[in-house]
C-alpha cells in the first residue's frame, strides 16, 4: 500500500484526541518506499510536535538496511527517544532475524549519537531463545560501545509454529539481576527487565 501523505495529520489528531503525554510510533518495514519510510516517521514526529508540543514522541524504527541518510531524516525530526530493537544476541541473530544483521543494528544505533549526541537511544532484547548469560553480557557491552542509553529485556513468546521454539522461561530473579548488571556494570541509563517487557 502506498504511503498516505495525510497520515501524519491523522496520527497527530488521534494522539490529541486521546490526550497522550507520550506516544511511540512504529510500523512494519517499508522497504518498498524510498528511504524505507524515513520521511513517514519524520512527518509523524514533526506533526505531533507541532500540534502537541507537550507530548513526547518516541519512534521504533527499522534499520533502513543501514542507510544513514534515511536515519538522518528521522534524527533531524528530533524524537525524544529513537529506538531500534536488536532482538537477540549475535549467535542467534541469523536464525531469529534473517533479514537483519547484528552488527548493522549496533552500528546503526551508534550512528544516532554521531548525528545527535544528545538524543536518547533505546533497544530491546528478547530472552529465552537459547542465549547464554555471557552472550547477553556481550550484547550489553556492544550496545554500550554504541552509547545506547536504554535497554529493555523481555521473555520470548513464540508467535507461531513457524518461529523458533521457546528454549526456556527466564525467572523474575534473573530479570532483576540482568537489570542490575545492565545499569551498574554496563552503565545503561535505564534497563527495564521482566517477563512481560
Amino acid at each position: 500500500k502506498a504511503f498516505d501523505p495525510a497520515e501524519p495529520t491523522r496520527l497527530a489528531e488521534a494522539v490529541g484526541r486521546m490526550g497522550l503525554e507520550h506516544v511511540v510510533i512504529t510500523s512494519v518495514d517499508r522497504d518498498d518506499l524510498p528511504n524505507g519510510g524515513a520521511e513517514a516517521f519524520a512527518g509523524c514526529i514533526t506533526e505531533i510536535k507541532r500540534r502537541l508540543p507537550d507530548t513526547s514522541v518516541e519512534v521504533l524504527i527499522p534499520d533502513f538496511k543501514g542507510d544513514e541518510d534515511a536515519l538522518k531524516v528521522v534524527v533531524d525530526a528530533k524524537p525524544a527517544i529513537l529506538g531500534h530493537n536488536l532482538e537477540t544476541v549475535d549467535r542467534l541473530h541469523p536464525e531469529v532475524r534473517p533479514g537483519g544483521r547484528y552488527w548493522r543494528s549496533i552500528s546503526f544505533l551508534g550512528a544516532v549519537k554521531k548525528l545527535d549526541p544528545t538524543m536518547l537511544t533505546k533497544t530491546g532484547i528478547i530472552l529465552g531463545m537459547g542465549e547464554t548469560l555471557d552472550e547477553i553480557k556481550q550484547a550489553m557491552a556492544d550496545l554500550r560501545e554504541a552509547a545506547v542509553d536504554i535497554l529493555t529485556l523481555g521473555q520470548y513468546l513464540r508467535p507461531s509454529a513457524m518461529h523458533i521454539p521457546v528454549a526456556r522461561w527466564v525467572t523474575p530473579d534473573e530479570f532483576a539481576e540482568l537489570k542490575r548488571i545492565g545499569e551498574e556494570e554496563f552503565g545503561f541509563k535505564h534497563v527495564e527487565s521482566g517477563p512481560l517487557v
Side-chain angles (χ1 to χ4, degrees):
K1 180 179 173 186
F3 174 67
D4 178 359
E7 184 174 7
T9 301
R10 286 196 328 274
L11 179 59
E13 288 170 352
V15 170
R17 282 194 305 274
M18 290 187 280
L20 300 178
E21 295 175 9
H22 181 80
V23 62
V24 181
I25 301 169
T26 192
S27 76
V28 297
D29 283 354
R30 291 302 306 260
D31 295 338
D32 58 311
L33 296 176
N35 283 342
E39 286 83 3
F41 279 102
C44 292
I45 296 163
T46 301
E47 190 63 19
I48 292 168
K49 288 172 62 174
R50 185 181 74 75
R51 290 172 178 254
L52 305 159
D54 293 332
T55 298
S56 58
V57 181
E58 175 180 342
V59 290
L60 178 60
I61 61 172
D63 67 9
F64 300 132
K65 297 195 181 294
D67 182 348
E68 290 190 20
D69 291 334
L71 177 62
K72 186 176 187 317
V73 169
V74 178
V75 170
D76 286 349
K78 303 279 186 207
I81 301 172
L82 191 142
H84 169 69
N85 284 338
L86 186 60
E87 303 293 5
T88 191
V89 299
D90 191 14
R91 176 179 57 85
L92 296 175
H93 219 266
E95 184 179 4
V96 173
R97 288 194 64 212
R101 304 289 179 271
Y102 179 88
W103 286 108
R104 184 168 70 195
S105 288
I106 298 283
S107 64
F108 197 66
L109 286 159
V112 175
K113 294 295 190 176
K114 293 177 194 149
L115 293 167
D116 183 347
T118 66
M119 186 165 289
L120 286 175
T121 52
K122 179 178 176 181
T123 195
I125 298 175
I126 303 167
L127 306 178
M129 292 187 276
E131 68 287 328
T132 67
L133 178 58
D134 284 343
E135 288 174 322
I136 297 167
K137 287 181 177 182
Q138 185 60 58
M140 287 181 177
D142 296 338
L143 290 164
R144 286 301 297 138
E145 186 70 24
V148 172
D149 301 296
I150 302 165
L151 173 63
T152 64
L153 300 168
Q155 172 66 52
Y156 172 63
L157 301 173
R158 189 180 195 188
S160 77
M162 302 299 293
H163 292 79
I164 67 168
V166 174
R168 72 184 198 92
W169 301 103
V170 182
T171 69
D173 287 347
E174 288 174 288
F175 277 116
E177 177 62 4
L178 288 168
K179 175 180 175 63
R180 186 199 66 75
I181 289 168
E183 290 177 350
E184 295 178 14
E185 295 182 22
F186 288 94
F188 286 97
K189 287 183 180 174
H190 181 72
V191 176
E192 194 64 34
S193 180
L196 300 179
V197 171

